[in-house]
């Protein structure tokens, strides 16, 4: 994880406008040299054939790879973001489970879709135009995954709201019900 944080720091050098020209060139050289390796390393998780569980430490390393890829569009000028996304989106889409989905999504899919949704919300116009230009099979898989994730999160939110409402209703019913306490000891009335 430390290596990824260092890598992201080096990559971010190229985005700092106040940096010297040599610092910017160093950041861009690191991007050009390391990103193909990060892409390959990321894809190896999906296609290695290993089953990765939610508790597996490998999943946190994969997430660091994804974070590194997702930060790349923020390090380039606006006119190059689409080009960077055209590499990142197919890579991350390959990490997703194949539709149709059931209730058992792989941990790799779960981690990946969270970062894809974050990327889509941080730069919606560039994301949308890049997705429109992806090959049909990649676009279909990505769109189906995003739709499923959004619907699933809406269902979860709806269930949480219903549970909260039910708890509030039960709580208020418990409070509002009158209680009668009868004395059963009449010794004081002799």
């Amino acid at each position: 994880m430390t290596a990824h944080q260092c890598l992201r720091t080096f990559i971010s050098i190229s985005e700092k406008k106040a940096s010297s020209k040599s610092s910017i060139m160093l950041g861009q050289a690191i991007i050009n040299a390391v990103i193909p390796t990060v892409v390959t390393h990321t894809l190896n998780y999906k296609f290695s054939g290993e089953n990765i569980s939610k508790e597996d430490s490998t999943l946190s390393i994969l997430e660091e790879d994804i974070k590194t890829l997702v930060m790349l569009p923020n390090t380039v000028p606006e006119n190059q973001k689409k080009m960077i996304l055209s590499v990142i989106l197919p890579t991350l889409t390959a990490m997703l489970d194949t539709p149709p989905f059931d209730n058992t999504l792989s941990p790799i899919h779960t981690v990946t879709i969270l970062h894809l949704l974050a990327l889509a919300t941080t730069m919606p116009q560039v994301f949308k135009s890049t997705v429109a230009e992806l090959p049909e099979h990649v676009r279909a898989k990505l769109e189906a995954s995003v739709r499923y994730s959004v619907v699933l999160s809406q269902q979860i939110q709806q269930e949480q709201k219903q549970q909260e409402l039910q708890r509030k209703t039960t709580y208020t019913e418990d409070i509002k019900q009158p209680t009668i306490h009868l004395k059963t000891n009449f010794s004081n009335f002799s």
Side-chain angles (χ1 to χ4, degrees):
M1 282 201 257
T2 304
H4 276 286
Q5 291 169 347
C6 291
L7 178 61
R8 286 193 293 268
T9 301
F10 277 124
I11 290 171
S12 69
I13 290 173
S14 66
E15 76 181 31
K16 298 190 182 343
K17 304 299 181 216
S19 295
S20 67
K21 187 170 178 121
S22 60
S23 296
I24 293 171
M25 289 175 55
L26 174 65
Q28 290 172 345
I30 290 172
I31 289 172
N32 292 338
V34 176
I35 294 311
T37 305
V38 174
V39 168
T40 304
H41 191 254
T42 303
L43 290 172
N44 282 339
Y45 287 103
K46 180 70 174 186
F47 300 110
S48 68
E50 294 180 33
N51 287 333
I52 297 177
S53 69
K54 290 180 182 179
E55 295 82 25
D56 198 339
S57 64
T58 309
L59 195 59
S60 62
I61 297 169
L62 168 64
E63 188 162 17
E64 292 299 318
D65 283 346
I66 293 172
K67 285 179 186 177
T68 302
L69 290 174
V70 168
M71 76 158 294
L72 286 173
N74 298 322
T75 64
V76 297
E78 195 66 36
N79 62 345
Q80 294 177 0
K81 289 182 187 232
K82 192 171 182 178
M83 181 180 65
I84 296 292
L85 280 179
S86 67
V87 173
I88 295 171
L89 291 180
T91 302
L92 295 180
T93 302
M95 305 297 289
L96 300 172
D97 295 344
T98 305
F101 303 110
D102 55 11
N103 290 334
T104 56
L105 298 172
S106 72
I108 292 174
H109 178 96
T110 305
V111 166
T112 304
I113 197 68
L114 291 175
H115 290 285
L116 278 167
L117 291 172
L119 193 60
T121 55
T122 57
M123 50 185 67
Q125 297 298 7
V126 178
F127 187 90
K128 187 175 182 179
S129 65
T130 305
V131 168
E133 294 178 8
L134 291 174
E136 177 59 33
H137 69 284
V138 175
R139 184 174 67 244
K141 184 177 182 180
L142 178 59
E143 288 174 348
S145 297
V146 168
R147 258 189 250 105
Y148 183 78
S149 178
V150 168
V151 167
L152 189 62
S153 67
Q154 288 173 345
Q155 286 175 347
I156 291 171
Q157 286 176 353
Q158 185 66 26
E159 289 172 5
Q160 288 173 343
K161 285 180 183 177
Q162 287 175 348
Q163 289 173 353
E164 182 70 25
L165 183 63
Q166 189 176 24
R167 271 184 279 189
K168 285 181 180 179
T169 305
T170 304
Y171 179 72
T172 56
E173 286 175 1
D174 290 344
I175 291 174
K176 290 180 182 179
Q177 290 180 351
T179 56
I180 300 173
H181 296 285
L182 298 175
K183 288 185 175 182
T184 56
N185 182 356
F186 297 106
S187 63
N188 292 339
F189 295 109
S190 19

